[in-house]
Amino acid sequence: MPTRARRWADLRKQVAYRSKRANAGHMVEADQRFGQRDALGPHGVMLFFRSEAPAEPHGYRLHMAHRLWLASPESDDLPRLLGDLAVIANDNISRAASAGRRWHPLGPDGSMVNGGDMTLPDDATYVGIGVTTLDSDQGRWYQVARTLRDESANGRYRSVFDLKGQCYALLTDGTALHIDRDPHARLGVDGIRCNKTLDPDRITYYNPHQHLTEEDDDATREVWRQLGALHDILTAHLTDRRPA
């Protein structure tokens, strides 16, 4: 397989693993702050960038910056949150252009992030966007978090480390990823669904997730749609082209 294709296959896996770690950290912090004035909302956004790193196995290094929000009605509605970010991104692009500047989502003006890799190498390029959410098939975050506390009060011992989370990601090569983070998954089950190959040595095979963004229920498809709209804006602006 060509070097470029191998690099993208590896990058998809790296994005999935970084997203899993971010989701786990998001959940632990949200649990620690649950019910407090600075409680975290259940959704966050991740931005992925790639820089050249010849010493690395595939010649690149992945960078991720993220944004988490305090709990509020606005930040609790994921499609609305993504739609609002798309409007803000467009406004920031236009405002910077009118002032003769070029806006970047990491700032310094109009930053979309508040954590992670806030400073990038000069050659870093945008490769995608993701979502971390604490909602899962176990239930909505607030419901599950309250259940944990009720169980603890009744002498049961399930903790936040038993809870699932999930992530969505879109990359500039047309990749769509869904990551189901399950701490009790069977060995060898990584919870990753992807519309493109994760194995650089498997060129021809049947991929049941080829139409990943069109699967599942209406609410999930709306998340993909709003995430895609924001991704298109960032791709066009940061790479001077439409998505691949």
Side-chain angles (χ1 to χ4, degrees), residues 33-40 70-71:
R33 293 161 60 171
F34 186 78
Q36 301 179 21
R37 293 184 62 183
D38 63 344
L40 281 179
L70 295 179

Side-chain angles (χ1 to χ4, degrees), residues 142-220:
Y142 295 112
Q143 169 198 354
V144 174
R146 281 192 294 268
T147 299
L148 277 186
R149 284 151 178 79
D150 292 342
E151 290 175 351
S152 178
N154 291 324
R156 298 177 63 185
Y157 299 103
R158 192 170 62 137
S159 78
V160 67
F161 298 103
D162 296 306
L163 300 183
K164 297 172 65 174
Q166 57 182 332
C167 304
Y168 304 82
L170 295 172
L171 307 183
T172 53
D173 72 329
T175 293
L177 282 158
H178 178 264
I179 302 102
D180 182 22
R181 187 187 60 78
D182 182 358
H184 297 296
R186 299 190 310 276
L187 185 65
V189 177
D190 59 16
I192 301 171
R193 293 187 294 158
C194 185
N195 67 340
K196 292 179 178 286
T197 185
L198 299 173
D199 185 346
D201 295 316
R202 294 183 63 187
I203 301 174
T204 303
Y205 72 107
Y206 170 68
N207 184 351
H209 310 303
Q210 182 178 357
H211 304 291
L212 179 61
T213 61
E214 302 165 20
E215 298 171 0
D216 299 316
D217 55 24
D218 290 344
T220 301

Side-chain angles (χ1 to χ4, degrees), residues 47 89 103 105 112 126 129 229-239:
L47 299 179
W103 175 75
M112 287 179 61
Y126 171 76
I129 189 168
L230 178 56
H231 177 56
D232 286 350
I233 292 169
L234 295 178
T235 299
H237 175 64
L238 296 174
T239 67

Side-chain angles (χ1 to χ4, degrees), residues 28-116:
V28 170
E29 189 172 355
D31 180 67
Q32 293 172 343
R33 293 161 60 171
F34 186 78
Q36 301 179 21
R37 293 184 62 183
D38 63 344
L40 281 179
H43 314 300
V45 168
M46 304 172 288
L47 299 179
F48 301 101
F49 299 84
R50 179 180 65 197
S51 65
E52 296 302 312
E56 296 293 328
H58 291 274
Y60 77 94
R61 183 172 290 113
L62 180 67
H63 309 271
M64 186 192 77
H66 65 259
R67 173 70 181 266
L68 300 177
W69 283 265
L70 295 179
S72 71
E74 293 79 14
S75 65
D76 293 348
D77 185 334
L78 181 53
R80 175 181 176 181
L81 179 64
L82 294 172
D84 289 346
L85 284 177
V87 172
I88 291 170
N90 266 328
D91 288 347
N92 285 336
I93 292 168
S94 298
R95 190 177 301 113
S98 66
R101 294 180 286 104
R102 184 175 176 83
W103 175 75
H104 194 281
L106 270 61
D109 299 319
S111 175
M112 287 179 61
V113 299
N114 57 14

